[in-house]
C-alpha cells in the first residue's frame, strides 16, 4: 500500500462515502483489515446483522482501487462482497431462493440509486447435518452471496446503504419503520 500522502483522491472519496453511518441499528458496521494483494488500494468493512439480539447474518464489503483501471472491472474502483445468513431449513432446498437472493442485491442497489456496471456473483445455499463427534445440534441451513460490481457514480454512501439493505433482506429483517409480527406477539404476552 502506498503512503497516505500518495492515496488517489477517487479512493479517498470512496472510502469517505463508505464510512457513512449504518442506516439501521440492527446492522453493526466495523472497519477491518482489507486484503492487500487484490489491488494497489483497498478498504474493508464487516457487518453483523442482529435480530432480537441474535446474529443472523454477516458480511464484508471490500473496496478495491487500481488507478490504472482494470478491463474486467470496466473502471478503476470495484466493490466486492460476501454475505452469509442462517436460513430456515425448508428454504435450503428452495430452487427459487438463489434468484430471489440475487434480486435482494440488485434491487437494493437500484432503490438507493447506487449506479453500477459489470455486476456478477454467485448465490449458494447449503444444508448441514452433523454426525459422529460433531453430532448433536439440529441440522442447519445457510445462504451465501458473493458478488462484485463497479460503481459508476461518486455516491459511495448509496452503495453502502444498498449493501446494508441487501443484508437486511438476507437476514429477514422487516423494512425500516415496520415492526415484526413476532415482536408484537411477544410484547402482547
Amino acid at each position: 500500500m502506498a503512503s497516505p500522502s500518495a492515496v488517489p483522491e477517487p479512493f479517498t472519496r470512496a472510502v469517505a462515502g463508505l464510512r457513512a453511518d449504518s442506516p439501521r441499528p440492527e446492522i453493526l458496521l466495523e472497519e477491518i483489515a482489507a486484503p492487500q494483494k487484490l489491488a494497489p488500494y483497498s478498504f474493508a468493512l464487516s457487518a453483523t446483522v442482529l435480530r432480537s439480539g441474535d446474529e443472523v447474518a454477516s458480511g464484508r464489503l471490500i473496496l478495491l482501487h487500481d488507478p490504472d483501471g482494470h478491463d474486467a472491472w470496466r473502471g478503476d474502483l470495484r466493490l466486492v462482497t460476501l454475505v452469509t445468513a442462517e436460513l430456515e431449513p425448508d428454504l435450503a432446498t428452495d430452487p427459487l431462493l438463489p434468484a430471489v437472493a440475487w434480486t435482494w442485491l440488485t434491487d437494493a442497489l437500484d432503490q438507493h440509486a447506487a449506479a453500477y456496471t459489470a455486476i456478477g456473483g454467485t448465490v449458494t445455499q447449503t444444508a448441514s447435518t452433523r454426525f459422529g463427534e460433531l453430532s448433536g445440534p439440529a441440522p442447519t441451513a445457510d445462504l451465501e452471496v458473493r458478488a462484485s460490481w463497479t460503481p459508476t457514480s461518486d455516491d459511495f454512501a448509496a452503495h453502502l446503504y444498498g449493501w446494508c439493505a441487501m443484508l437486511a433482506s438476507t437476514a429477514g429483517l422487516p423494512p425500516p419503520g415496520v415492526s415484526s409480527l413476532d415482536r408484537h406477539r411477544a410484547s402482547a404476552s
Side-chain angles (χ1 to χ4, degrees):
M1 174 93 43
S3 69
S5 62
V7 176
E9 187 179 339
F11 179 74
T12 302
R13 281 193 320 266
V15 168
L18 293 176
R19 284 183 169 147
D21 290 335
S22 174
R24 296 188 63 151
E26 305 97 329
I27 300 175
L28 307 175
L29 297 177
E30 180 180 17
E31 289 184 31
I32 59 172
Q36 299 298 304
K37 297 181 181 180
L38 299 176
Y41 302 91
S42 58
F43 172 81
L45 292 171
S46 72
T48 302
V49 184
L50 303 174
R51 186 174 57 223
S52 302
D54 295 324
E55 181 179 330
V56 293
S58 63
R60 290 186 306 243
L61 183 65
I62 300 167
L63 169 67
L64 303 174
H65 177 57
D66 185 340
D68 294 332
H70 201 287
D71 290 341
W73 298 355
R74 293 190 224 153
D76 60 1
L77 292 160
R78 187 83 173 161
L79 287 168
V80 180
T81 190
L82 166 66
V83 172
T84 58
E86 297 175 15
L87 289 175
E88 296 296 323
D90 58 325
L91 288 177
T93 57
D94 186 337
L96 300 177
L97 182 61
V100 170
W102 186 253
T103 64
W104 290 335
L105 174 60
T106 57
D107 287 354
L109 292 174
D110 293 344
Q111 288 169 358
H112 289 275
Y116 60 89
T117 190
I119 192 168
T122 62
V123 176
T124 305
Q125 58 202 92
T126 60
S128 301
T129 304
R130 299 169 192 247
F131 296 95
E133 295 293 318
L134 297 176
S135 65
T140 60
D142 295 292
L143 177 73
E144 178 182 276
V145 179
R146 293 177 181 265
S148 63
W149 64 95
T150 299
T152 58
S153 75
D154 288 337
D155 187 358
F156 278 80
H159 288 274
L160 174 70
Y161 278 54
W163 179 66
C164 286
M166 186 267 283
L167 278 163
S169 294
T170 304
L173 296 180
V178 175
S179 295
S180 167
L181 289 177
D182 292 337
R183 220 157 92 201
H184 285 300
R185 287 185 190 130
S187 63
S189 336

